[in-house]
Amino acid sequence: MLVEARSWAARRRGWAASSARQIAYDANGQLLSGSLMDYALPIAGDIPEMKIVHQHSPSPLNPLGVKGVGEGGAVAPPAAIANAVCDALAPFDFELNATPIRAEQIIRLGRRP
């Protein structure tokens, strides 16, 4: 259960990074989004349902065969989601090179001449 909770939390942070969180600076380089009051955090209803599948591969490096559990799932989702959006919108010549992806960006794309 602990592994599932850590995995879900990491994926949630990855989803948030691709769709909600934005690190913003002013013209002088002052951080504008330095607290949780400055950007939206997704709630459970904002995140697609995920199914966690365990793939067991015991470690040969110790007698118990155990491994540690990290939160690597937070790194890949923003890039994967951005690539999926770009692929889906390729017919519209949409280029995306930063996250978070805002709905306004996609709406503006639809309004281009």
Side-chain angles (χ1 to χ4, degrees), residues 36-52:
L36 295 177
M37 297 294 291
D38 300 319
Y39 57 82
L41 291 176
I43 59 175
D46 296 334
I47 301 170
E49 188 174 329
M50 293 177 262
K51 180 179 179 182
I52 297 173

Side-chain angles (χ1 to χ4, degrees), residues 65-91:
V66 296
K67 297 179 181 180
V69 175
E71 294 184 355
V75 176
I81 293 167
N83 281 333
V85 169
C86 285
D87 286 349
L89 298 174

Side-chain angles (χ1 to χ4, degrees), residues 17-30:
S18 69
S19 61
R21 292 183 187 167
Q22 182 173 10
I23 299 172
Y25 298 92
D26 68 12
N28 296 320
Q30 179 67 37

Side-chain angles (χ1 to χ4, degrees), residues 54-71:
H54 297 280
Q55 182 176 356
H56 299 281
S57 57
S59 172
L61 304 176
N62 65 66
L64 298 176
V66 296
K67 297 179 181 180
V69 175
E71 294 184 355

